[in-house]
Amino acid sequence: MKSKNIMELRLLSLSQNESFARSVVGAFATQLNPTLEEISDIKTAVSEAVTNAIVHAYPDTIGDIRIVAELSGNIIRVKVQDFGVGIRDIQQARQPFFSTANDESRSGMGFTVMETFMDEVIIDSTPAKGTTVEMKKSISKQDY
Amino acid sequence: MKSKNIMELRLLSLSQNESFARSVVGAFATQLNPTLEEISDIKTAVSEAVTNAIVHAYPDTIGDIRIVAELSGNIIRVKVQDFGVGIRDIQQARQPFFSTANDESRSGMGFTVMETFMDEVIIDSTPAKGTTVEMKKSISKQDY
Amino acid sequence: MQIHVKHQSDIITAYLFGELDHHSAEEVKTKLDDAIRKYSDANLVLDLKNLSFMDSSGLGVLLGRYKKIKMYGKNMYIKNANKQVEKVFDVSGIYKIIKKIK
Amino acid sequence: MQIHVKHQSDIITAYLFGELDHHSAEEVKTKLDDAIRKYSDANLVLDLKNLSFMDSSGLGVLLGRYKKIKMYGKNMYIKNANKQVEKVFDVSGIYKIIKKIK
Ligand SMILES: Nc1ncnc2c1ncn2[C@@H]1O[C@H](COP(=O)(O)OP(=O)(O)O)[C@@H](O)[C@H]1O
Ligand SMILES: Nc1ncnc2c1ncn2[C@@H]1O[C@H](COP(=O)(O)OP(=O)(O)O)[C@@H](O)[C@H]1O
């Protein structure tokens, strides 16, 4: 297994990029030889973070989204960063079913899904500056 | 069809990133609704340009590769940029079967494949600064 | 995202194909609402066998359809979710509200 | 990249699975050379039915194997290339050197 690798992806906050973003991180993660379920977990978590940037960070504009993924040993770290409105109360935002959006597809379960599917989720946000979500997951070592 | 989209990917010049790079550009190109053959053409051309950056631009080091893909109307533009050794004689480099590498897998057909599979290939290079390969392809308009 | 609707006696089955995320949510919502309005005397079964991916955007869409159907005095059921989709359902506890059938 | 080799009378058939690019080239080269050395009295057929992708790195690898086999006084053939792989072969004119069979 290759020991270290890192990539950076910059996207626009267009909804058609949601599936693209999760595919890219999923494809990069395959270098760690994860199980299909681990790949699905990572793709789902990335989908949530990227959708949040598209829906919440840039409600009325098209902005930049930056994704950095790092492979090290059997660990993948994914950072999803936006430069949008930011989150005022992070504790509240993390609550299951809490959502500020009136869009029906926002269930308020985004952060809960990220926390369930990844080992660690760190949120760093400054109002009017933007939000960074850092996620980490260990991949099981598979034998051949 | 969405009118415009652009993405940027930064990678290390590791050979395991060759398949990742072509998958990413292929996945992005699907937003133009291309045929399977058009996707294959784009992936093949990207594979050639990225492999060149890995093999030739950084022969003894690991360097950065920057890929920018832009969708506009039914046209995809892909730029593959490195900051490596550069090309002294671009005319010569474009010749079929010309290669400076003694690696057996270098057939000297990389640029010829890019030119055949894409509509336009522009090479810009400065010795000791790096190389940029810009490729363009029109996607056939398909009806539903 | 494709949806095929099959109507049989007092049941409509909607087969979802593809990926249900925020991008495709609006389309899924519209298509399911059309079916619910057209067959307002039928129960709705969502067959997710061919839904390859869903994130939390899907939860909101499904709960919204459930509420609408309940207003017509009918019920909604979920069937054949794959492992990834099932995991998102499990996190949300949606099966306490919408029943899973075989 | 996987290669399965089948030996039958005076023909070895090597089935290539996966993607042949610069990254996998070295492994393909080594595995084919092992087969060529082991069955040096046989002709080699490369069955590419399950080769999903190949770029120009593959041309160099195949031409190198062809030269090696010729030194043993034997021949090499290509079979079942998919559309993408075929297109790379066509650009290079490799079929003027290595024969395609059905
Ligand atoms: N990138 C972001 N920028 C600004 N606000 C965000 C961002 N991500 C999340 N939020 C806030 O946190 C809340 C909870 O997020 P989440 O749990 O993903 O649920 P949902 O997206 O369904 O609302 C959102 O409603 C929003 O107010
Ligand atoms: N990114 C690059 N940086 C430096 N040199 C390059 C680059 N791309 C191509 N070249 C030069 O151009 C030559 C021809 O390239 P190409 O047609 O792709 O064939 P091959 O890669 O098989 O040698 C290479 O052998 C190399 O000398």
Side-chain angles (χ1 to χ4, degrees), chain B residues 3-137:
Chain B
S3 55
K4 256 193 167 255
N5 200 356
I6 184 164
M7 70 93 177
E8 178 183 333
L9 178 69
R10 277 176 181 271
L11 296 173
L12 297 174
S13 64
L14 301 167
S15 68
Q16 69 260 39
N17 287 333
E18 290 159 9
S19 65
F20 172 64
R22 61 181 180 261
S23 309
V24 171
V25 180
F28 193 63
T30 59
Q31 294 187 5
L32 291 183
N33 190 39
T35 62
L36 282 181
E37 185 173 356
E38 286 164 341
I39 295 255
S40 285
D41 289 354
I42 294 164
K43 288 175 74 169
T44 311
V46 169
S47 193
E48 298 295 349
V50 169
T51 301
N52 277 352
I54 292 170
V55 173
H56 303 298
Y58 304 110
D60 312 307
T61 47
I62 303 300
D64 281 327
I65 301 174
R66 180 170 173 261
I67 301 175
V68 178
E70 195 179 336
L71 311 178
S72 170
N74 68 323
I75 290 170
I76 178 165
R77 270 173 240 270
V78 186
K79 183 151 76 174
V80 177
Q81 182 176 17
D82 67 61
F83 312 90
V85 300
I87 303 175
R88 216 158 283 276
D89 184 342
I90 294 178
Q91 276 315 100
Q92 189 183 45
R94 277 182 181 269
Q95 299 296 316
F97 304 109
F98 175 84
S99 179
T100 55
N102 50 9
D103 173 351
E104 199 186 41
S105 79
R106 298 301 89 217
S107 59
M109 290 300 287
F111 282 129
T112 308
V113 167
M114 290 181 238
E115 282 163 3
T116 311
F117 286 46
M118 302 293 275
D119 297 340
E120 198 181 297
V121 178
I122 299 171
I123 306 169
D124 184 12
S125 189
T126 310
K129 288 258 156 139
T131 301
T132 303
V133 177
E134 274 197 74
M135 301 181 279
K136 185 177 136 177
K137 190 179 181 72

Side-chain angles (χ1 to χ4, degrees), chain C residues 4-39:
Chain C
H4 296 167
V5 177
K6 216 177 76 185
H7 183 219
Q8 209 168 22
S9 63
D10 63 342
I11 291 176
I12 32 173
T13 306
Y15 298 86
L16 275 61
F17 292 78
E19 307 195 326
L20 173 45
D21 60 7
H22 159 253
H23 180 64
S24 61
E26 196 56 36
E27 191 188 345
V28 173
K29 184 178 167 245
T30 308
K31 286 183 176 168
L32 289 180
D33 280 353
D34 286 351
I36 291 168
R37 211 173 306 113
K38 193 164 165 196
Y39 307 106

